[in-house]
Amino acid sequence: MKPTCSVLALEHVIPGAGRGLRFPGHCMGLTALRDLLQRVADRARVASLCELLPAATVGEMRPHVALAFLGGHASHARFVAPLLEALGLAGHFFVPYETIGKPGHLSLGQIAALRYHRHVHVELDLSSLPPGSSWRMADRLRESAATLEAHTGRRCRYVWVGPRQWDRRLPVLLRHQRYTGVVSPHFPRDARFGGLHILPATRPSRRLLLGLPGA
């Protein structure tokens, strides 16, 4: 097994959907998720984002994998958080500010209850924010973090961004708002990050139900 590290990004979880994986990375049955997380735990070191380093730098041969759950779905609080606690695995819930309280998505009450799950970290998902001025981006980073931190009692450290959010101002805004790092499946070649923790992410495929990146 080749030493590596990666962020495994998952989204909607449907209890009772069996072991199947529909629209890879976007919709997974709870049983399939349990099987996948158990396989990850058996074959890799599951770490939080701040602990995620290439295995070779810390003298380990197993891959290092962090778990990211996107979209702010209510199923994350109802099913994923208890599963992570039962397995003793760290997970990061990236919540889009725009979806809070909408049907099928996390409410502020559910977000507040996540503070009692010691393995769950609540972070900010910016992927639904349309491109705009740096002032709008700065306001969203500040307001979103303040809302999430007030309800969880923990500081948001990482941001998930999509390709539309990348411009040369983003790293400056993130550092100004005291974020630690950025997670994304798409990083521009010419991006400059200025000391931020940059973590590339991958979505699970059917192949990943049988193995891991780097295996």
Side-chain angles (χ1 to χ4, degrees):
M1 182 176 290
K2 180 181 179 181
T4 186
C5 66
S6 61
V7 178
L8 190 60
L10 304 109
E11 198 160 323
H12 197 31
V13 176
I14 300 178
R19 298 178 183 273
L21 180 64
R22 303 174 185 175
F23 306 109
H26 295 274
C27 182
M28 178 180 285
L30 184 59
T31 301
L33 176 62
R34 183 184 296 109
D35 290 348
L36 178 60
L37 294 184
Q38 189 63 64
R39 189 171 292 111
V40 170
D42 290 342
R43 302 184 63 187
R45 179 177 182 267
V46 177
S48 65
L49 292 173
C50 63
E51 298 170 331
L52 194 61
L53 295 169
T57 67
V58 291
E60 291 189 21
M61 290 303 296
R62 294 195 303 167
H64 286 196
V65 176
L67 304 172
F69 294 87
L70 312 176
H73 298 288
S75 61
H76 296 169
R78 294 180 60 192
F79 306 111
V80 178
L83 179 58
L84 292 174
E85 291 294 315
L87 297 175
L89 302 178
H92 295 258
F93 291 1
F94 285 86
V95 180
Y97 189 74
E98 295 81 5
T99 67
I100 295 175
K102 291 186 177 181
H105 291 82
L106 292 167
S107 66
L108 287 176
Q110 288 174 315
I111 291 172
L114 291 174
R115 72 170 64 205
Y116 302 109
H117 294 271
R118 59 192 180 96
H119 293 289
V120 172
H121 307 270
V122 177
E123 315 286 2
L124 179 61
D125 183 345
L126 284 180
S127 61
S128 61
L129 182 67
S133 70
S134 57
W135 289 106
R136 182 178 182 182
M137 181 72 76
D139 287 344
R140 180 52 50 85
L141 287 168
R142 181 173 57 254
E143 293 170 2
S144 303
T147 298
L148 295 175
E149 291 169 12
H151 286 80
T152 63
R154 303 174 188 173
R155 184 163 70 89
C156 295
R157 295 177 179 271
Y158 287 84
V159 174
W160 175 279
V161 298
R164 295 189 304 165
Q165 282 74 43
W166 278 113
D167 64 34
R168 58 185 175 79
R169 300 162 295 182
L170 181 59
V172 176
L173 295 174
L174 292 174
R175 290 195 302 271
H176 185 263
Q177 297 298 329
R178 300 186 300 120
Y179 285 92
T180 300
V182 186
V183 187
S184 177
H186 306 286
F187 287 105
R189 291 183 179 180
D190 59 348
R192 299 292 182 268
F193 306 114
L196 292 168
H197 194 193
I198 303 304
L199 295 169
T202 182
R203 292 182 182 272
S205 62
R206 296 183 189 279
R207 182 179 180 182
L208 276 181
L209 293 177
L210 301 175
L212 287 172

